[in-house]
């Protein structure tokens, strides 16, 4: 089997996780990671055996002076790759597109960039086939990924009419909470609807979804509360069966002691997930309520991990090494240990 050669630009919160996931795939080869940092983070990449590249010659010099073994610059890495996943910070990735296009290199951006940068936004269970052979796509953000996963499950079951959600957003990524986290306050997103609803519609324009969001003083994950109007009166079992059709949605029980996001994080550590990551949407099935044609439910989103399997599937779609979404999803799920029950 010919392996797709994958490069990663940006070895931060998402980039390091994508690198680890690519390394697990039997149809992909990680040809290198690129960054500008010189501290312990990039040295972990070297420890893992990943070829390290600097963004340009100036950063290459700084990295070498810091004792980081560098194999070239981004320009050198691009020549080795069939596709590149850009995991650099928000707005920086858009500045790199010209380099990729000049090299006729397929590329994947993350949800911090606008839909217009690629013209296609990706979710494996919703629109995998529309990404086949494209030159680029954008894996939507963590919150948007969870929205599309859950609403797609209801839509495929013929149950979804419209959805209204409230998002409690983590303040910042855990590793940098000492730098710019918020304390003793709540920060509402000014615009209603918040950006996640329109973002979900870049994947599936047929979704009737409105979101509001508030930033809260914790860093472990996001939490969503949803009120969905169904197309008809339905039973709780019908709704749970619909959610069960998604292989990336795990049903959990409040009564099992999984009563808060920190406990769910502890569970991920207990089952030996790398970094304590949760790739699934963790939805409380014993909290879920159906009243006639109205559905109420809540779930937790791991902001650092949920987009990782989507990125792996996006690589397969763009390079067409797997044209069947079900096959790609199954491969990715198996490699990452994704499950529907914990």
């Amino acid at each position: 089997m010919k392996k797709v050669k994958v490069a990663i630009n940006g070895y931060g919160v998402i980039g390091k996780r994508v690198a680890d996931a690519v390394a697990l795939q039997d149809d992909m080869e990680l040809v290198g990671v690129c960054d500008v940092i010189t501290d312990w983070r990039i040295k972990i990449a070297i420890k893992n055996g990943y070829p390290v590249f600097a963004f340009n010659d100036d950063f290459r010099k700084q990295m070498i002076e810091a004792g980081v073994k560098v194999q070239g610059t981004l320009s050198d890495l691009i020549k080795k790759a069939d596709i590149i996943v850009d995991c650099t910070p928000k707005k920086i990735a858009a500045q790199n597109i010209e380099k990729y296009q000049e090299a006729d290199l397929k590329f994947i951006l993350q949800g911090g960039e606008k839909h217009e940068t690629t013209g296609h936004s990706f979710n494996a269970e919703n629109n995998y086939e529309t990404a086949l052979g494209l030159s680029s796509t954008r894996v939507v953000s963590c919150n948007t990924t969870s929205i599309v996963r859950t609403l797609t499950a209801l839509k495929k079951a013929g149950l979804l009419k419209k959805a209204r959600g409230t998002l409690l957003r983590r303040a910042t990524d855990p590793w940098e909470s000492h730098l710019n986290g918020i304390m003793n306050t709540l920060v509402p997103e000014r615009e209603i609807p918040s950006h996640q609803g329109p973002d979900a519609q870049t994947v599936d324009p047929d979704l009737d979804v409105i979101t509001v969001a508030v930033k809260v003083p914790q860093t472990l994950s996001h939490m969503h509360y949803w009120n969905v109007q169904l197309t008809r009166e339905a039973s709780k079992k019908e709704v749970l069966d619909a959610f069960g059709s998604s292989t990336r949605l795990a049903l959990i029980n409040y009564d099992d002691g999984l009563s808060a996001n920190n406990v769910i994080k502890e569970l991920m550590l207990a089952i030996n997930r790398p970094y304590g990551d949760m790739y699934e949407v963790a939805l409380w099935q014993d909290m879920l309520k159906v009243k006639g044609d109205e559905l109420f439910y809540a779930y937790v989103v791991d902001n650092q991990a949920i987009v990782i399997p989507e990125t792996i599937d996006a690589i397969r779609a763009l390079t067409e090494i797997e044209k069947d979404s079900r096959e790609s999803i199954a491969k990715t799920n198996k490699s990452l240990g994704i499950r529907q029950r914990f």
Side-chain angles (χ1 to χ4, degrees):
M1 179 188 297
K2 180 183 177 182
K3 295 186 178 184
V4 168
K5 296 179 179 180
V6 182
I8 297 170
N9 188 12
Y11 192 73
V13 170
I14 299 299
K16 68 181 180 182
R17 288 171 165 84
V18 174
D20 291 349
V22 167
L24 293 173
Q25 310 308 310
D26 62 7
D27 51 2
M28 300 179 193
E29 177 188 354
L30 180 64
V31 295
V33 301
C34 177
D35 214 301
V36 299
I37 55 177
T38 60
D39 60 16
W40 63 272
R41 291 169 291 171
I42 198 65
K43 293 175 182 178
I44 292 296
I46 294 173
K47 180 178 181 296
N48 288 339
Y50 303 153
V52 170
F53 294 75
F55 181 73
N56 57 29
D57 286 328
D58 289 339
F59 286 112
R60 179 180 185 177
K61 181 179 179 181
Q62 293 176 25
M63 294 169 78
I64 291 173
E65 289 175 350
V68 177
K69 184 179 179 181
V70 180
Q71 301 197 15
T73 64
L74 177 61
S75 297
D76 300 315
L77 178 58
I78 285 174
K79 295 174 185 177
K80 295 176 177 289
D82 298 315
I83 187 169
I84 190 163
V85 183
D86 195 307
C87 302
T88 56
K90 184 177 181 179
K91 297 184 179 179
I92 293 178
Q95 300 173 28
N96 295 327
I97 290 176
E98 187 176 351
K99 297 183 181 69
Y100 307 148
Q101 291 175 331
E102 286 177 353
D104 196 24
L105 180 66
K106 291 178 181 288
F107 61 91
I108 296 170
L109 305 183
Q110 296 299 312
E113 305 308 313
K114 293 182 178 180
H115 171 73
E116 290 74 22
T117 55
T118 63
H120 186 275
S121 294
F122 182 88
N123 179 273
E125 291 182 329
N126 185 285
N127 69 347
Y128 183 99
E129 282 74 18
T130 66
L132 290 172
L134 293 182
S135 60
S136 63
T137 191
R138 163 183 168 265
V139 174
V140 292
S141 72
C142 49
N143 280 312
T144 305
T145 295
S146 73
I147 293 168
V148 177
R149 277 189 198 171
T150 51
L151 297 187
T152 295
L154 294 173
K155 180 182 177 182
K156 286 181 176 179
L159 292 173
L160 178 64
K161 184 173 183 179
K162 63 182 181 181
R164 306 294 182 256
T166 300
L167 285 57
L168 306 177
R169 300 179 57 203
R170 63 93 178 97
T172 188
D173 287 325
W175 84 271
E176 57 183 2
S177 58
H178 63 297
L179 299 176
N180 55 6
I182 62 173
M183 289 287 289
N184 196 36
T185 189
L186 301 175
V187 183
E189 205 164 298
R190 181 177 179 179
E191 298 297 325
I192 297 178
S194 62
H195 71 273
Q196 292 86 5
D199 197 28
Q201 291 168 330
T202 66
V203 177
D204 189 342
D206 294 332
L207 294 179
D208 185 345
V209 54
I210 294 176
T211 54
V212 296
V214 57
K215 189 182 293 185
V216 297
Q218 59 86 30
T219 64
L220 292 179
S221 62
H222 307 300
M223 187 179 296
H224 290 205
Y225 279 86
W226 284 88
N227 176 13
V228 170
Q229 184 177 2
L230 304 173
T231 54
R232 57 176 172 81
E233 291 191 6
S235 67
K236 180 174 181 177
K237 182 180 184 303
E238 284 182 280
V239 171
L240 290 176
D241 286 345
F243 282 140
S245 68
S246 169
T247 63
R248 291 179 178 170
L249 196 161
L251 298 176
I252 61 173
N253 288 306
Y254 196 99
D255 288 345
D256 285 337
L258 298 173
S259 56
N261 62 347
N262 62 300
V263 183
I264 295 171
K265 183 72 171 183
E266 189 69 14
L267 173 60
M268 294 303 104
L269 291 165
I271 62 175
N272 297 317
R273 284 285 179 84
Y275 308 108
D277 282 348
M278 181 173 69
Y279 309 108
E280 306 85 349
V281 174
L283 189 149
W284 281 286
Q285 63 178 340
D286 52 354
M287 285 173 58
L288 183 148
K289 294 290 185 295
V290 182
K291 298 289 186 181
D293 66 348
E294 282 193 284
L295 166 63
F296 303 86
Y297 60 92
Y299 59 74
V300 169
V301 181
D302 187 332
N303 50 286
Q304 300 181 112
I306 190 174
V307 300
I308 305 307
E310 306 298 328
T311 303
I312 297 301
D313 290 327
I315 293 170
R316 290 200 181 96
L318 262 60
T319 60
E320 296 186 279
I321 56 172
E322 179 54 69
K323 295 186 178 182
D324 188 327
S325 61
R326 293 168 298 180
E327 290 295 325
S328 179
I329 290 169
K331 287 180 183 179
T332 304
N333 288 356
K334 183 177 180 181
S335 69
L336 296 179
I338 293 173
R339 59 181 78 174
Q340 293 175 295
R341 295 285 190 278
F342 292 128

